[in-house]
Amino acid sequence: MRFPHRLTLIPALLAAALPLPAGGAGAAPPPQAALAQVEERVYVESSVDSNGDGRLDRIAIDIARPATGGPFPVVFEQSPYRNGLANAANHAVNVSALPQESLFPLIPGAPPTTGPGINAARPLPDLPDWYDDYFVPKGYAVVLGHSLGTGDSDGCPTSGDMQETLATTAVVDWLNGRARGFSASGAQVTASWSTGNVGMIGISYNGTLPNMAAATGVAGLKAIVPIAAISSWYDYYRANGLVVAPGGYQGEDADVLARAVVDRTGCTSRIDQIETDQDRVTGDWKQFWADRDYVGKADRVTAGVFVIHGQSDWNVKGQQYAQWWDALRANNVPRKIWLHNGGHGTTSRTDYRATVERWFAYFLKGIDNGILTEPRAEVQFKDGTWRQYADWPNPGATQAVLKLDASSATAPGGLTLGTPTGASAQQFTDNGRTSTATTLVANPDSANGNRLVYRTGNLTAPVTLTGSPRVSLRLAVTNRNDANVTALLVDYGGTGTSTTPVIVTRGWIDPQNRNSRATSEKVVQGSEYTLNFAMQPRDYVFAAGRRIGLVVISTDYDYTLRPPAGAVLRLNPVASTLTITQTGLATGEYPLSVSPAAGATNPGGTLTTTVATAVTGGSAQSVTLSASGLPPGSTASFSPSTVTAGGSSTLTLSTAASTAPGTYQVVVTGTRTGATHTAVYTLTVNGNAACKATNPTDVAIPDAGAAVESTVTISGCPGTASATSKAEVHIVHPYRGDLVVSLVAPDGSSYPLSNRSGGSADDIHQTFTVKLAGESANGTWRLRVQDAAAADVGRIDTWTLTLDS
């Protein structure tokens, strides 16, 4: 069947979701008469009770599958948009003062007031409706799910936390026979037609849900295609301590989104709690945001990940794909990335559907179609052309550090790779809510008291940017407790031209969060601080004859809160820099890369990798290679040990039989006269399998009851346990602060792991390092858990003990 667009044909969607009769007069012909399909509605029982009604929430799913044959792998899209969106008032963004200014007042004062909210519905993403028509004829089943508290599912929406995640993975569990499903009449039904191999796909929120599910490592989820997807909700609604908006939706926040998608009564107090916990005053990273972060859980991802994202997407900004990609790389997850030049949506490539199907065929059907041997990264530029890279950012690029140069206190300044000739301090006044960034970057040849501008000279050759530019700004706020700080990377015309500037990318920071996004610190008026922060990633070509520009402003009208004008900021150019990763600048430098970038071997084993260099400007020079960070007893050798930049060498890593298991970061260094460059190879030395054991059997944890235990038995592990033994613990519980968790050795010795820590956060998914030196390795080890307070129940889900870490 064809699931219609959500806003225009909601009644048709609801009708289509009902179980279809087997036949009968007046029945509409199937969309593809040659292919018989079964369509049905199932309600899957999850492990969460998000609305607190004492009943596990059931998740509605609609299924389309071939009527004969099987079993079939599954293409699964989970969505909170099945019934459209309600109007939800956004938060006010025109404020009398930045709310965080009251955190460290110079004199006591009343908190800032806020104006009326904006009653505006957020448009739905342009969700694809082609899944069943395309995939069912190719031998897949298609499942369209209704996310927690939305559509026809039970519960309350929770804007990305573990409850919503587990409601999604429950569907994967049901498709693998690990959860219960029911028909509309209440009869229990199974997915006997499913192979258990599941691939998830979706755009925007629907693409975020695959990231969420994959970050649990749920068994059976083999592949995901997250399109325009979030990897950390903090970076959707915050930036380095500032409250920021998704592009086009000023004032939206996690609570507004929950109110827009909720389709159930009884959720008001729970969404009100989201509004409180998200904290629009400090903008700090807190447990609320940690609960909605998947980047830090990338080590659990076992699915192959095919990332698709638009470089002009300012709704789900580029940092979302960049940090997710970096984390997947660090954990050696099979992956592929397409970065198109469009906005919030998928690519218009003609091979889009076929490539997605090839991704699923490889991981869900086991068809070796060569998709993992193709270039890992493909990037589209503004002229519409695509470039292929071995990875992203372009590994052939190198960093260029541009220094700010200011010869006067008012005139526009320069950017130089050399030594600045001027070092005059410059200041500007925030224009508050009265100017946009587009207005402020205009007329760069003239002084403007509301911004600072720095530019290179005319480029002699095209310069191609890749990845995330970074700035280091030495800055003071002279007359207020705090201020917005915004950096804009701008493509300017050459000297004497009047070409309209192009804002290539931007970034934001709160000076109170100069040392940590998690902690606000007082800003002393007039004191200089170093602000280090990244702009959003972008692959972009600055044409020959153009100029690279950095513009520093305060309030960014379209993204930050908008205080009244008047904050004065002073910048120290001589202590400030712009760093870009690029090709084309005549830096005389060279990048260093290793491929593959990671490998694993048993103690006493050997691995090889290729170390490559490339010249990005200037003349090729001799580069001497060396390695550090090797585990004890291991050696590294290069053949050859010295190369001319542009050449490559084979690195051989040999471990000893006595090398301790673990993961080691081997730093490969290339040295030439006056400079060094590095690359990192991740070496994993496997442990003794006999020293590791897992118990996946669920153990119920009674409410405020006696302690329960889950056991594993170690045998054949030589000697004693390590001082860095690891206990990987997964406990499902809606209030982890109730739990007392300990590891009990065979001799009865107890080692505390978690003693009622974590407050009101959900679950424990954590690997604990335990000092077990001296404990005999072999014997029965016990994970002991007690719920020490009333009102909640949970279970030990699974745990793994590794004694030779």
Side-chain angles (χ1 to χ4, degrees):
M1 71 183 160
R2 215 174 255 284
F3 282 80
H5 290 288
R6 277 63 175 173
L7 283 178
T8 56
L9 293 174
I10 293 300
L13 172 60
L14 295 178
L18 297 175
L20 298 181
Q32 299 187 36
L35 177 71
Q37 297 187 36
V38 174
E39 299 181 354
E40 60 184 324
R41 161 66 65 84
V42 172
Y43 297 88
V44 175
E45 184 178 74
S46 73
S47 60
V48 301
D49 176 15
S50 61
N51 57 2
D53 64 358
R55 177 177 177 271
L56 294 177
D57 298 330
R58 294 185 179 182
I59 306 305
I61 62 173
D62 298 302
I63 304 164
R65 55 185 171 87
T68 59
F72 310 104
V74 178
V75 174
F76 172 31
E77 182 201 51
Q78 182 85 327
S79 175
Y81 298 130
R82 302 294 178 206
N83 282 359
L85 286 172
N87 280 352
N90 289 345
H91 295 275
V93 295
N94 290 343
V95 295
S96 60
L98 291 176
Q100 68 267 30
E101 288 192 63
S102 63
L103 294 177
F104 306 101
L106 294 178
I107 56 174
T113 59
T114 58
I118 304 170
N119 188 23
R122 178 178 175 185
L124 288 172
D126 185 20
L127 301 176
D129 59 359
W130 53 276
Y131 300 136
D132 54 347
D133 301 307
Y134 189 84
F135 284 108
V136 173
K138 295 181 182 297
Y140 298 83
V142 170
V143 172
L144 299 183
H146 304 222
S147 192
L148 188 67
T150 74
D152 294 334
S153 291
D154 297 338
C156 295
T158 55
S159 295
D161 76 348
M162 185 55 73
Q163 292 182 91
E164 185 175 33
T165 303
L166 292 176
T168 301
T169 58
V171 177
V172 180
D173 287 336
W174 178 71
L175 292 167
N176 280 273
R178 299 189 298 267
R180 299 194 302 170
F182 301 89
S183 68
S185 65
Q188 190 165 341
V189 292
T190 63
S192 58
W193 44 264
S194 166
T195 65
N197 292 341
V198 181
M200 291 189 70
I201 186 172
I203 300 175
S204 192
Y205 205 142
N206 300 6
T208 302
L209 287 154
N211 284 345
M212 295 161 58
T216 69
V218 60
L221 182 59
K222 302 294 187 180
I224 65 172
V225 184
I227 306 169
I230 292 170
S231 59
S232 176
W233 287 83
Y234 180 87
D235 301 303
Y236 188 64
Y237 289 123
R238 304 289 183 268
N240 301 305
L242 283 185
V243 174
V244 298
Y249 305 100
Q250 265 285 29
E252 188 191 304
D253 216 323
D255 64 314
V256 176
L257 183 57
R259 290 188 174 96
V261 301
V262 66
D263 283 315
R264 292 286 174 270
T265 59
C267 294
T268 301
S269 62
R270 293 179 181 265
I271 297 177
D272 287 347
Q273 190 63 48
I274 291 177
E275 181 175 3
T276 298
D277 293 344
Q278 69 193 6
D279 177 16
R280 287 181 64 86
V281 175
T282 71
D284 291 352
W285 168 278
K286 295 186 175 179
Q287 187 62 48
F288 176 87
W289 300 112
D291 293 341
R292 291 159 174 82
D293 173 73
Y294 322 119
V295 177
K297 302 171 184 174
D299 59 338
R300 304 176 192 171
V301 176
T302 57
V305 183
F306 181 9
V307 175
I308 301 176
H309 214 108
Q311 295 196 77
S312 298
D313 188 350
W314 287 95
N315 180 336
V316 178
K317 304 175 190 72
Q319 182 179 352
Q320 300 289 347
Y321 70 76
Q323 62 194 5
W324 188 227
W325 185 258
D326 288 345
L328 296 174
R329 179 196 296 111
N331 289 283
N332 206 28
V333 175
R335 63 199 182 279
K336 184 178 183 68
I337 189 168
W338 279 1
L339 300 177
H340 61 88
N341 63 8
H344 188 57
T346 194
T347 175
S348 59
R349 281 177 62 145
T350 57
D351 60 345
Y352 160 54
R353 295 185 182 185
T355 306
V356 169
E357 197 276 327
R358 289 179 64 222
W359 191 256
F360 285 153
Y362 181 89
F363 287 99
L364 306 189
K365 294 183 176 181
I367 298 175
D368 189 2
N369 52 27
I371 196 164
L372 288 184
T373 65
E374 298 172 358
R376 183 170 283 161
E378 297 189 49
V379 179
Q380 187 182 29
F381 287 80
K382 60 183 178 181
D383 62 358
T385 60
W386 288 80
R387 301 186 191 182
Q388 296 179 333
Y389 299 123
D391 207 334
W392 184 90
N394 175 13
T398 190
Q399 284 192 346
V401 180
L402 297 158
K403 305 172 185 67
L404 279 57
D405 192 355
S407 58
S408 81
T410 57
L415 292 172
T416 178
L417 290 168
T419 302
T421 58
S424 298
Q426 297 188 307
Q427 71 177 32
F428 65 100
T429 301
D430 181 22
N431 224 9
R433 64 195 65 148
T434 58
S435 296
T436 66
T438 300
T439 300
L440 290 168
V441 302
N443 303 312
D445 294 321
S446 303
N448 183 327
N450 303 123
R451 63 102 202 276
L452 299 176
V453 60
Y454 305 90
R455 291 173 296 170
T456 64
N458 294 352
L459 299 173
T460 59
V463 173
T464 303
L465 176 74
T466 186
S468 303
R470 297 191 63 85
V471 291
S472 179
L473 303 178
R474 186 68 176 173
L475 186 143
V477 181
T478 66
N479 66 337
R480 287 193 179 165
N481 293 3
D482 201 15
N484 298 314
V485 175
T486 302
L488 309 167
L489 187 69
V490 184
D491 184 350
Y492 280 115
T495 303
T497 65
S498 57
T499 308
T500 301
V502 176
I503 298 175
V504 177
T505 187
R506 67 223 300 161
W508 312 269
I509 195 170
D510 180 352
Q512 289 185 357
N513 293 85
R514 56 195 176 270
N515 293 315
S516 168
R517 64 179 179 172
T519 305
S520 294
E521 299 176 66
K522 182 176 181 177
V523 170
V524 177
Q525 292 183 9
S527 294
E528 287 188 358
Y529 302 104
T530 299
L531 309 181
N532 296 308
F533 60 104
M535 301 185 200
Q536 298 298 316
R538 188 73 190 272
D539 282 57
Y540 183 89
V541 177
F542 292 87
R546 305 281 293 184
R547 306 175 74 176
I548 300 172
L550 172 66
V551 177
V552 182
I553 64 174
S554 180
T555 295
D556 191 348
Y557 184 92
D558 294 315
Y559 294 94
T560 65
L561 298 184
R562 306 170 187 155
V568 177
L569 296 89
R570 186 182 70 245
L571 181 68
N572 182 353
V574 75
S576 302
T577 58
L578 164 67
T579 301
I580 60 174
T581 304
Q582 54 75 50
T583 56
L585 284 177
T587 62
E589 294 298 330
Y590 56 93
L592 196 68
S593 62
V594 292
S595 181
T601 185
N602 294 326
T606 297
L607 293 167
T608 61
T609 187
T610 299
V611 181
T613 63
V615 181
T616 60
S619 59
Q621 299 185 42
S622 180
V623 180
T624 300
L625 300 171
S626 61
S628 60
L630 296 166
S634 300
T635 61
S637 62
F638 294 89
S639 180
S641 58
T642 300
V643 298
T644 300
S648 62
S649 173
T650 298
L651 167 60
T652 301
L653 296 170
S654 300
T655 64
S658 60
T659 300
T663 298
Y664 303 90
Q665 301 299 309
V666 179
V667 179
V668 180
T669 301
T671 304
R672 68 156 175 86
T673 302
T676 60
H677 287 263
T678 62
V680 175
Y681 181 86
T682 302
L683 170 64
T684 299
V685 180
N686 300 322
N688 187 330
C691 298
K692 181 177 181 179
T694 298
N695 189 336
T697 303
D698 290 357
V699 177
I701 304 171
D703 188 26
V708 296
E709 294 181 343
S710 175
T711 64
V712 296
T713 300
I714 300 289
S715 62
C717 182
T720 59
S722 165
T724 57
S725 297
K726 301 290 191 300
E728 179 184 348
V729 177
H730 298 280
I731 297 174
V732 177
H733 194 282
Y735 199 98
R736 64 178 290 172
D738 288 355
L739 302 178
V740 179
V741 184
S742 56
L743 176 67
V744 181
D747 65 359
S749 301
S750 181
Y751 297 85
L753 303 181
S754 179
N755 188 1
R756 304 194 68 177
S757 63
S760 62
D762 299 330
D763 309 334
I764 294 177
H765 298 287
Q766 188 172 343
T767 298
F768 300 91
T769 299
V770 194
K771 296 180 179 179
L772 298 178
E775 289 283 357
S776 176
N778 295 319
T780 298
W781 295 79
R782 291 171 286 166
L783 182 72
R784 178 178 294 164
V785 182
Q786 181 177 18
D787 186 336
D792 301 295
V793 296
R795 71 176 190 275
I796 301 173
D797 185 48
T798 182
W799 72 289
T800 298
L801 180 64
T802 305
L803 297 179
D804 62 351
S805 298

